[in-house]
Amino acid sequence: MNPMKSVSSGVKVGSPVLRGLMVSLVCMAAATVVASLLIKFTGMKEGSVTTSVYIIHSVSLFIGGWATGLRSGRKGWYYGGMMGILYSVVVILVGFLSYDAAFTSYTLILLALSFAAGALGGMIGVNMRK
């Protein structure tokens, strides 16, 4: 059975949030590799890494939200926002487990901005479908 087939109610099988999360994580990984190569082989300074990280996360969240909105077909802001929260939880867990990063006020800001970027992408994704 094809996992993308619709069940009898017309709802697609598979979570739009998990699909968007996977898309955003793949985008983040690819963009991180490109940024690393740019830093290694060009005159780009390591001081610009922080800006690059914010740009990479923002674009990845937006693309993931867009994919979530396309997949869900409705409530793009909700599904995209939930994908953004889940993305930031993954990033926070990786930071905590690998670098022993503490939970700070910046973590709450990351959650809020992740929700906003995912929700924006989700709204655009739903409207691109029509």
Side-chain angles (χ1 to χ4, degrees):
M1 180 175 169
N2 186 355
M4 292 306 299
K5 285 191 176 182
S6 298
V7 293
S8 62
S9 67
V11 177
K12 288 184 179 177
V13 177
S15 172
V17 174
L18 291 179
R19 168 67 183 240
L21 179 65
M22 295 310 297
V23 168
S24 64
L25 291 175
V26 167
C27 287
M28 179 195 56
T32 301
V33 168
V34 169
S36 298
L37 291 173
L38 284 173
I39 290 170
K40 174 76 175 165
F41 295 114
T42 65
M44 197 170 156
K45 301 212 187 264
E46 288 186 21
S48 64
V49 169
T50 304
T51 305
S52 300
V53 167
Y54 287 128
I55 292 170
I56 289 169
H57 284 305
S58 300
V59 170
S60 297
L61 281 161
F62 178 79
I63 292 171
W66 179 72
T68 301
L70 278 175
R71 178 78 157 202
S72 70
R74 60 187 177 86
K75 294 185 183 177
W77 70 271
Y78 175 76
Y79 289 113
M82 290 301 108
M83 184 281 310
I85 297 253
L86 192 58
Y87 177 95
S88 61
V89 166
V90 168
V91 169
I92 290 165
L93 279 174
V94 167
F96 176 74
L97 294 174
S98 61
Y99 298 110
D100 201 25
F103 189 82
T104 64
S105 60
Y106 292 113
T107 308
L108 295 175
I109 294 170
L110 173 67
L111 284 168
L113 293 176
S114 296
F115 179 86
L120 179 65
M123 288 186 286
I124 292 173
V126 165
N127 288 313
M128 293 286 289
R129 185 173 188 171
K130 295 179 179 179

